[in-house]
Amino acid sequence: MTTTFQYTVRDRSGKLVKGTISAENQTMVMQRLKAGGYAPVSITKTNAGMKKELTIPGFGKKVKLKDLSIMARQFATMVNSGLSLLRTLTILSEQTANKELARVLSVVRNEVETGMALSSALGKHPRVFPPIMINMVRAGEVGGFLDSVMLQLATNFESEVKLRGKVKSAMTYPVVVLCISIVAVIGMLLFIVPVFSKMFKTLGGKLPLPTQILVDLSGALKYIAIPLVLFVIVAVVMWGKFKHTPQVRNVVDPLKLKLPVFGKLFQQIALSRFTRNLGTMMHSGVPILQSLDIVADTTGNVVVGRVVRDVQDSVRTGEALTAPLSKHPVIPAMVVQMMTVGEETGALDTMLHKISEFYDQEVESTTESLTALIEPLMIAFLGGVIGSMIVALYMPIFKIFTLIS
């Protein structure tokens, strides 16, 4: 039975290095550390079971794509500079800002030290390292160009981070304005409308229809406010839990592409991810069938993923890579033609990167256009909602003034 030990050693330069390693006993830890050229200072057992119990799922620090892109670029720089793989992993585990990634890299380093391949060690942590990274590292190990693979991964992740940033910037404004609208409406219904309602009762008479609807909504909200808040919280939690399940995605993803304004944006994002990931993996020497299998799950949209599966089946039977693409309306004719040319000239990976760059620019242009379009619409929407409520509240007062005159 293996136990986790925490160690402190001095490397060849005399620098103190800390980390963790799994072994059957303390003697084996000592032998491994000495074999790696380290001088052990202290070796102690870690209470891994207690740490595991105190870790609350969902509340730990997550490893973001930006963290992986920085790590991949630093990894490539150090390996290209002549540092050994173990030394590189040690430095990364010490200087990485993300504590969770630093912890995992320390574990990976220990596993590599025992003789395990880097790709296999990364593959033990699928929640941290995506399949595209694991398979590209495996191809780099076999081909002897691990540093260039890491540079490609860093570029790929950086492009993906940039793409996500553009989408978030386009979505942030309308979401914020919508939330402000909801809070303003609820606030008026709970605190302002009841004041006017009491005044209307003292005046007597029949209220205008818009005012009566507003008063009724205010009265009903007092009773359903708490259940409504609980429902929203439960809905958000359930959505976060099940939004990535096949049952939900098979319904939601096709609807995304059919949206009148955002459908084109979702299509461009999926095509950019598809072409960029496939081009990166092909350039790294990952087998085509394996590349397609991984890319099908990384497009972010089930509809485009099905297209990739069709392409995979086509290649498996010996047909051309681009043969099934023209059958699917989600793939524009330009993409099909450019991929066909790339396949015929033997430069498909280069052509895929050009397509990806084109759609990255399209996403940027579309998000800017959407932001320019949405801003005045949301301002008009917010003003219309609040203005309508104010007019409805003052309609009875206007009626009284008319009767007095």
Side-chain angles (χ1 to χ4, degrees):
M1 183 178 178
T2 59
T3 307
T4 303
F5 293 88
Q6 188 170 7
Y7 64 82
T8 302
V9 297
R10 290 191 182 277
D11 60 13
R12 290 184 176 89
S13 62
K15 183 181 177 182
L16 281 174
V17 178
K18 295 181 180 180
T20 57
I21 188 171
S22 298
E24 292 182 2
N25 53 55
Q26 197 167 350
T27 305
M28 290 186 67
V29 176
M30 183 80 71
Q31 292 173 353
R32 288 182 187 177
L33 293 173
K34 287 182 176 180
Y38 296 104
V41 177
S42 66
I43 301 173
T44 56
K45 284 185 179 181
T46 60
N47 200 345
M50 181 64 72
K51 287 184 178 179
K52 189 173 181 182
E53 288 178 2
L54 294 175
T55 302
I56 303 174
F59 289 89
K61 190 173 182 181
K62 294 182 179 179
V63 178
K64 298 181 180 179
L65 205 59
K66 186 177 180 180
D67 299 319
L68 290 178
S69 68
I70 295 171
M71 185 273 287
R73 191 165 292 281
Q74 291 175 341
F75 188 103
T77 302
M78 286 186 279
V79 170
N80 195 34
S81 300
L83 270 71
S84 67
L85 183 58
L86 285 175
R87 184 62 179 152
T88 299
L89 289 170
T90 301
I91 294 171
L92 287 173
S93 64
E94 290 175 354
Q95 71 177 25
T96 301
N98 188 298
K99 293 182 179 179
E100 177 62 16
L101 181 57
R103 183 192 67 80
V104 173
L105 284 173
S106 179
V107 175
V108 169
R109 182 212 169 281
N110 295 333
E111 290 168 342
V112 171
E113 189 179 20
T114 62
M116 185 181 293
L118 177 61
S119 56
S120 301
L122 296 177
K124 287 189 171 184
H125 309 277
R127 292 187 178 182
V128 176
F129 304 108
I132 184 174
M133 185 174 187
I134 296 166
N135 284 274
M136 284 181 64
V137 168
R138 184 174 291 116
E141 287 175 326
V142 174
F145 45 88
L146 188 58
D147 54 342
S148 61
V149 163
M150 282 296 185
L151 281 175
Q152 292 172 35
L153 275 169
T155 304
N156 182 289
F157 291 157
E158 286 164 1
S159 299
E160 181 67 19
V161 169
K162 188 177 178 182
L163 183 68
R164 291 182 182 181
K166 292 172 185 174
V167 176
K168 285 181 180 179
S169 66
M171 298 294 187
T172 300
Y173 185 82
V175 170
V176 169
V177 174
L178 183 62
C179 292
I180 291 173
S181 303
I182 294 172
V183 170
V185 169
I186 293 175
M188 289 185 69
L189 289 174
L190 287 177
F191 303 108
I192 298 176
V193 174
V195 176
F196 280 83
S197 179
K198 291 178 181 178
M199 184 177 67
F200 296 152
K201 285 181 181 179
T202 58
L203 294 173
K206 188 177 180 181
L207 294 175
L209 181 60
T211 310
Q212 186 62 52
I213 293 173
L214 207 59
V215 171
D216 293 340
L217 282 174
S218 176
L221 192 62
K222 292 179 181 178
Y223 299 100
I224 66 171
I226 295 177
L228 186 63
V229 170
L230 293 176
F231 173 79
V232 170
I233 293 173
V234 171
V236 169
V237 171
M238 295 297 287
W239 172 253
K241 187 177 181 180
F242 294 106
K243 65 180 179 180
H244 295 300
T245 58
Q247 295 84 353
V248 175
R249 292 191 64 187
N250 286 332
V251 176
V252 174
D253 286 0
L255 292 176
K256 285 182 179 179
L257 298 177
K258 294 178 182 178
L259 291 174
V261 179
F262 292 94
K264 184 181 178 182
L265 178 62
F266 288 127
Q267 181 190 17
Q268 292 168 346
I269 293 169
L271 290 173
S272 175
R273 286 175 175 164
F274 159 53
T275 52
R276 180 172 55 250
N277 290 340
L278 182 59
T280 303
M281 297 193 76
M282 291 185 67
H283 186 75
S284 301
V286 180
I288 183 63
L289 288 175
Q290 191 175 354
S291 299
L292 290 169
D293 188 46
I294 294 166
V295 169
D297 298 325
T298 59
T299 60
N301 192 284
V302 167
V303 178
V304 179
R306 290 171 187 162
V307 176
V308 180
R309 296 292 183 194
D310 279 359
V311 173
Q312 188 181 19
D313 294 337
S314 173
V315 173
R316 190 178 283 114
T317 56
E319 296 180 18
L321 179 70
T322 55
L325 291 178
S326 58
K327 301 176 185 178
H328 298 273
V330 72
I331 307 295
M334 183 203 74
V335 175
V336 179
Q337 293 299 322
M338 289 182 70
M339 288 182 65
T340 302
V341 172
E343 194 172 21
E344 291 173 352
T345 58
L348 183 57
D349 55 339
T350 304
M351 196 64 75
L352 286 167
H353 280 119
K354 288 182 179 179
I355 298 171
S356 174
E357 289 172 4
F358 169 78
Y359 278 109
D360 282 344
Q361 293 173 359
E362 285 291 296
V363 168
E364 185 173 1
S365 175
T366 303
T367 51
E368 289 175 357
S369 301
L370 283 174
T371 304
L373 175 66
I374 288 172
E375 282 184 10
L377 290 177
M378 294 303 292
I379 292 171
F381 170 76
L382 179 58
V385 170
I386 303 299
S388 300
M389 293 181 69
I390 293 173
V391 170
L393 288 175
Y394 278 94
M395 282 179 71
I397 300 174
F398 294 152
K399 187 176 179 181
I400 292 171
F401 288 154
T402 304
L403 292 173
I404 293 172
S405 61

